[in-house]
Amino acid sequence: MLKIDNLHVRVAGREILKGLSLEAKAGEVHAIMGPNGAGKSTLGNVLAGREGYEVTAGTVEFEGQNLLELAPEERAAAGVFLAFQYPVEIPGVNNTYFLRAALNAQRRQRGEAELDSMQFLKKVREKLAVLHLKDELLHRAVNEGFSGGEKKRNEIFQLALLEPKLAILDETDSGLDIDAMKLVADGVNAMRDPARSFLVITHYQRLLDYIVPDVVHVLAEGRIVESGDRTLAHELEAHGYGWVAGRHAPAGAA
Amino acid sequence: MATERIQMESELRDRLRAPATGNEAVEAALSRRYDAGFVTDIESDSLPPGLDEGTVRAISARKHEPEWMTEWRLKAYRHWLTMTPPHWAKLRIGPIDFQAISYYSAPKGPKYKSLDEVPRELIETYDKLGVPLHERAKLAGVAVDAVFDSVSVGTTFQKELAAKGIVFCSMSEAVKSHPELVKKYLGTVVPQGDNYFAALNSAVFSDGSFVFIPKGVRCPMELSTYFRINAGHTGQFERTLIIAEEGASVSYLEGCTAPMRDENQLHAAVVELVALDDASIKYSTVQNWYPGDENGVGGIYNFVTKRGECRGPRSRIVWTQVETGSAITWKYPSCVLRGDDSAGEFHSVALTHHCQQADTGTKMIHIGRNTKSKIVSKGISAGRGQNTYRGLVKIEKGAEGARNHTQCDSLLIGKRCGAHTFPYIEVKNPGAIVEHEATTSKISEDQMFYCRSRGIGEEDAVSMIVDGFCKQVFRELPMEFAVEAKKLLEVSLEGAVG
């Protein structure tokens, strides 16, 4: 599904990712943990194609194609989805309208027929039911005046509706209380599928109690420094990131 | 961040410009641009360029006007000679040579007595503009007065309207058929000497629409005038007068287009609205005059005086405008709230792209007690466009309990455009409540990336964000116009990303 090899990325002239490698197979959930400033969000942004992130070395293959040469909308159509850490408000644009425009734009790019209003609405209802969401968010403008929890749930709803092959969750748990986090986790779990992979970027182990990962990676200093099963997340919780950094001190450092 | 943004913008620009990208949709869209830019090949009877008393008399003579009308024009002309063009607007305007303009141009031949006599070329012109005039295809529920250069070529649904006592005809016709109404109301809201362009219009106005809704009648359909400039080196000076008597109501729409030419053509209109007791007038404009090319060559100079008077108590006037065209727009549709409990509203979307300049806004003059006004202005600037909101809220001494709410938002697309806001507030009654809210925003990199990461392409993302920004105003437009306005903004913004 996704193969990242030796990825180096500069942002505003500063190297943030310094040789990151990672491979995720279809159906796997990979958690990416790490301290602040390790490059977690950079990874999400670079995979989704945000401008201003300069790839200086390395490759990213997504289903056999070079992901880095695609425009963000092409990546979306190819099946990459980024759930934003800070979802953006688009005043005056109805949430339902936005979602339909997005879904149909993707379908167009894939050469599939667009959904008409009725077909779309049917799909929306199905997904709402699966996620146990009320439809109130649909009638409002995209993220406008949403609470933190509502914004994150809206991201998960988009994820459900767009049905990507690879979903990247960028600190989706940040700023959520425990109930909201459970709701988000339930949504994600409902979306788990043998054909779909997840990269769950998070700061805390807590989210991984609800979204149980297949693999846990520790990202520090722009690199994956340790990978393991879910017990790694618990060890991190117990010992802190300093523990990993101590075990994997970069060459030349004390 | 700033450097990233520049880099992003230049990349986007390059992508949009370079045909090598093979993005045919974008290429096609860019070359589409101004759909209404064609010229109708029809012989016209035009006055030679130049302006003096003889010109004024010649216009009046061509229209077979009565003596009093000719004198009214001459009075305005003489006053105009004493005036100088206004320079207070935030506009850069080259000198206008008033002697180089032809003040009258009309399709040749006798005046058409009915729509059946209108030549095929003209019917086709309006068909092409999406305003069919002939019986079969008439717009359902919309009566249209079609003004071509200096004359009205036809008005639909006249009979049906007349049955309710409604007069909807060209101004020239009204001068002859309803002189008492014209004499009673013309120039009472915008006096002949009101301002430089209004005085010029009063002297040389050619045609426009006249609407009279008698006491207690709700007009059963939308009335609309479609203004088309066709001939070169001409100006269009239309005059519109709408009167709603006690308890009457009407919704009126106005659309405008012109061919693409590399000269600047002058359009100086005057619109007067009179609402008597409990009457309501809703006036909507979708202005799409030729804006000039991307280097600022050509385009219409749009100097318009629009004013409505809520003369009677509880009367209401609502202006809604979507201004996407013209090289220069100078326009302040205003409300004089004379009647107690009367209300005025102004909803505006003004877009400037490439080298367009707009200085537009409104004046709300509160005279009566408990008068209310609401202003919603949305300015969008792209390319090197300059967009100015200029508004006056004036509360006179006797306007006990007056209220105003103003919301003024600007949206910037790109780095070379400008948005300016000049709100003037004069309050002479201490009990008045006046509120002003203003925002300026950019289509942010975050919004663009958010849309794109969901699969929506750049151009569509911009249209969507702009449409959302204008939503509040579009809601005020009649349905078909709202759709049209949205499309117009999309076309006008093509190539604006970056």
Side-chain angles (χ1 to χ4, degrees):
Chain A
M1 175 77 68
L2 178 71
K3 192 173 176 206
I4 305 170
D5 187 35
N6 190 33
L7 188 64
H8 290 254
V9 175
R10 294 168 77 90
V11 181
R14 227 182 97 223
E15 186 159 60
I16 305 289
L17 296 186
K18 305 166 183 169
L20 184 144
S21 299
L22 188 156
E23 194 172 345
K25 295 197 174 62
E28 290 179 349
V29 175
H30 288 240
I32 297 181
M33 304 184 68
N36 285 325
K40 299 192 300 293
S41 288
T42 297
L43 177 62
N45 282 318
V46 109
L47 292 177
R50 190 173 201 128
E51 314 260 350
Y53 289 75
E54 189 196 349
V55 176
T56 51
T59 57
V60 179
E61 252 181 51
F62 176 68
E63 296 210 297
Q65 60 180 328
N66 178 0
L67 190 67
L68 298 176
E69 64 181 16
L70 301 181
E73 57 270 29
E74 292 168 338
R75 298 183 195 199
V80 175
F81 178 90
L82 172 66
F84 282 54
Q85 182 177 6
Y86 304 109
V88 182
E89 299 191 4
I90 309 179
V93 176
N94 176 279
N95 210 7
T96 313
Y97 176 80
F98 176 79
L99 283 171
R100 188 172 156 212
L103 182 62
N104 279 337
Q106 291 194 17
R107 293 180 68 98
R108 248 191 335 266
Q109 286 190 64
R110 292 195 290 257
E112 299 165 9
E114 294 184 29
L115 298 187
D116 64 27
S117 317
M118 292 313 292
Q119 292 167 318
F120 178 73
L121 228 57
K122 189 165 163 261
K123 203 175 172 76
V124 164
R125 292 220 183 85
E126 277 169 28
K127 299 299 176 186
L128 283 173
V130 174
L131 299 179
H132 305 291
L133 284 176
K134 296 211 178 73
D135 63 354
E136 56 192 351
L137 296 185
L138 293 172
H139 306 307
R140 289 158 60 182
V142 181
N143 294 320
E144 199 184 19
F146 284 25
S147 70
E150 285 173 334
K151 282 185 180 171
K152 296 297 172 70
R153 264 152 66 196
N154 194 34
E155 292 293 288
I156 300 305
F157 179 63
Q158 294 188 17
L159 161 66
L161 202 74
L162 296 172
E163 301 176 314
K165 292 174 183 156
L166 171 68
I168 305 155
L169 275 54
D170 188 6
E171 303 211 14
T172 299
D173 53 333
S174 71
L176 294 188
D177 60 35
I178 199 83
D179 293 340
M181 193 173 74
K182 274 185 193 161
L183 271 174
V184 163
D186 286 347
V188 171
N189 287 329
M191 289 295 295
R192 286 180 81 150
D193 185 288
R196 182 171 295 125
S197 311
F198 286 86
L199 286 189
V200 181
I201 297 170
T202 180
H203 206 71
Y204 298 106
Q205 191 271 330
R206 202 175 53 164
L207 179 67
L208 305 181
D209 286 341
Y210 301 99
I211 304 174
V212 179
D214 299 300
V215 187
V216 175
H217 305 276
V218 180
L219 174 56
E221 307 262 335
R223 248 186 298 241
I224 301 289
V225 291
E226 182 143 354
S227 302
D229 61 16
R230 55 182 298 209
T231 56
L232 178 59
H234 292 285
E235 285 194 57
L236 278 172
E237 180 92 343
H239 305 293
Y241 289 114
W243 166 73
V244 186
R247 300 202 307 168
H248 300 271
Chain B
M1 274 324 248
T3 49
E4 285 166 35
R5 177 143 183 97
I6 295 168
Q7 190 194 346
M8 177 186 83
E9 281 170 349
S10 65
E11 276 173 24
L12 294 188
R13 262 199 303 279
D14 291 345
R15 210 176 305 159
L16 287 170
R17 275 185 195 153
T21 57
N23 189 338
E24 285 169 26
V26 172
E27 286 304 307
L30 283 172
S31 57
R32 175 160 51 115
R33 309 209 61 87
Y34 190 72
D35 281 345
F38 62 91
V39 180
T40 305
D41 187 13
I42 189 160
E43 254 196 293
S44 59
D45 163 30
S46 304
L47 283 178
L51 180 58
D52 55 22
E53 286 206 9
T55 317
V56 177
R57 285 181 196 281
I59 293 169
S60 194
R62 299 233 168 173
K63 301 170 86 66
H64 311 287
E65 286 176 354
E67 183 65 24
W68 61 267
M69 194 70 244
T70 316
E71 284 308 315
W72 196 89
R73 289 173 177 275
L74 286 169
K75 192 178 151 209
Y77 175 70
R78 287 169 199 144
H79 189 87
W80 180 72
L81 289 176
T82 68
M83 302 172 91
T84 49
H87 288 298
W88 43 262
K90 195 171 166 52
L91 299 168
R92 276 188 308 174
I93 311 169
I96 301 169
D97 181 357
F98 290 95
Q99 298 305 330
I101 298 170
S102 164
Y103 288 83
Y104 186 87
S105 176
K108 228 173 191 156
K111 197 183 165 349
Y112 321 121
K113 287 202 186 62
S114 75
L115 280 166
D116 304 334
E117 290 180 18
V118 176
R120 218 192 47 223
E121 296 95 312
L122 286 180
I123 296 283
E124 281 169 1
T125 298
Y126 285 93
D127 272 351
K128 237 161 132 177
L129 296 168
V131 191
L133 298 176
H134 43 83
E135 270 319 307
R136 283 179 289 116
K138 277 194 302 198
L139 296 172
V142 182
V144 179
D145 181 24
V147 176
F148 192 83
D149 289 331
S150 303
V151 293
S152 162
V153 296
T155 310
T156 62
F157 289 110
Q158 266 181 319
K159 272 191 217 120
E160 292 84 343
L161 292 167
K164 294 213 159 223
I166 296 168
V167 183
F168 179 41
C169 64
S170 70
M171 199 65 189
S172 317
E173 219 175 301
V175 169
K176 277 168 266 171
S177 59
H178 298 86
E180 70 299 341
L181 287 175
V182 176
K183 266 191 203 167
K184 186 171 172 191
Y185 290 106
L186 188 71
T188 62
V189 184
V190 181
Q192 285 147 299
D194 187 81
N195 66 69
Y196 188 77
F197 293 105
L200 177 65
N201 174 285
S202 300
V204 302
F205 76 84
S206 35
D207 227 334
S209 299
F210 176 84
V211 176
F212 174 79
I213 315 286
K215 200 168 168 174
V217 172
R218 306 182 139 271
C219 186
M221 58 178 80
E222 304 273 351
L223 304 185
S224 107
T225 305
Y226 199 95
F227 294 101
R228 173 72 177 170
I229 294 179
N230 188 61
H233 306 289
T234 56
Q236 193 177 52
F237 305 90
E238 89 260 4
R239 184 108 196 173
T240 293
L241 175 58
I242 299 178
I243 303 141
E245 280 197 331
E246 291 84 350
S249 71
V250 62
S251 170
Y252 175 94
L253 323 165
E254 166 195 71
C256 333
T257 57
M260 293 162 77
R261 289 215 172 81
D262 55 11
E263 56 170 328
N264 292 112
Q265 283 182 281
L266 182 61
H267 172 258
V270 171
V271 174
E272 296 177 277
L273 312 182
V274 179
L276 301 185
D277 307 10
D278 300 293
S280 107
I281 301 176
K282 196 170 154 61
Y283 192 109
S284 312
T285 304
V286 173
Q287 186 263 106
N288 184 26
W289 294 121
Y290 177 55
D293 69 8
E294 56 272 30
N295 300 311
V297 177
I300 302 292
Y301 283 178
N302 192 32
F303 296 95
V304 174
T305 306
K306 287 183 167 169
R307 196 175 302 152
E309 192 174 311
C310 286
R311 215 164 267 183
R314 297 168 304 278
S315 55
R316 182 163 177 257
I317 289 177
V318 179
W319 296 101
T320 304
Q321 61 170 20
V322 176
E323 304 279 318
T324 60
S326 297
I328 290 173
T329 298
W330 179 97
K331 182 180 165 188
Y332 316 90
S334 304
C335 296
V336 179
L337 305 170
R338 197 176 290 284
D340 290 348
D341 301 295
S342 62
E345 292 179 29
F346 173 75
H347 307 268
S348 169
V349 167
L351 176 140
T352 53
H353 190 195
H354 299 308
C355 300
Q356 283 178 275
Q357 308 173 65
D359 191 302
T360 185
T362 184
K363 287 188 275 187
M364 293 291 175
I365 315 290
H366 293 252
I367 299 169
R369 298 161 68 89
N370 298 318
T371 44
K372 290 185 177 55
S373 65
K374 181 179 170 188
I375 299 170
V376 179
S377 164
K378 304 274 182 177
I380 303 153
S381 317
R384 281 173 282 166
Q386 295 293 323
N387 210 320
T388 300
Y389 167 79
R390 187 183 303 275
L392 169 68
V393 175
K394 189 171 183 179
I395 313 282
E396 296 289 4
K397 215 170 183 155
E400 206 62 52
R403 285 201 71 146
N404 161 267
H405 183 87
T406 300
Q407 183 193 340
C408 189
D409 300 324
S410 308
L411 184 69
L412 301 170
I413 304 172
K415 287 185 124 41
R416 293 175 303 168
C417 55
H420 319 274
T421 306
F422 299 98
Y424 303 84
I425 298 174
E426 287 176 36
V427 180
K428 293 181 183 154
N429 183 304
I433 300 173
V434 176
E435 299 164 318
H436 183 94
E437 272 178 51
T439 66
T440 301
S441 52
K442 289 188 105 174
I443 289 189
S444 69
E445 195 186 331
D446 289 344
Q447 285 175 325
M448 284 301 287
F449 178 57
Y450 192 69
C451 292
R452 294 182 69 191
S453 77
R454 296 301 179 250
I456 300 165
E458 285 162 311
E459 297 256 325
D460 290 340
V462 170
S463 315
M464 187 182 275
I465 294 165
V466 169
D467 183 46
F469 175 75
C470 301
K471 192 54 67 66
Q472 237 181 321
V473 173
F474 285 174
R475 266 205 297 261
E476 295 295 322
L477 287 171
M479 189 61 173
E480 302 80 6
F481 258 41
V483 173
E484 165 103 25
K486 192 180 154 187
K487 267 194 249 157
L488 206 52
L489 279 194
E490 274 169 24
V491 173
S492 304
L493 273 173
E494 269 156 14
V497 194

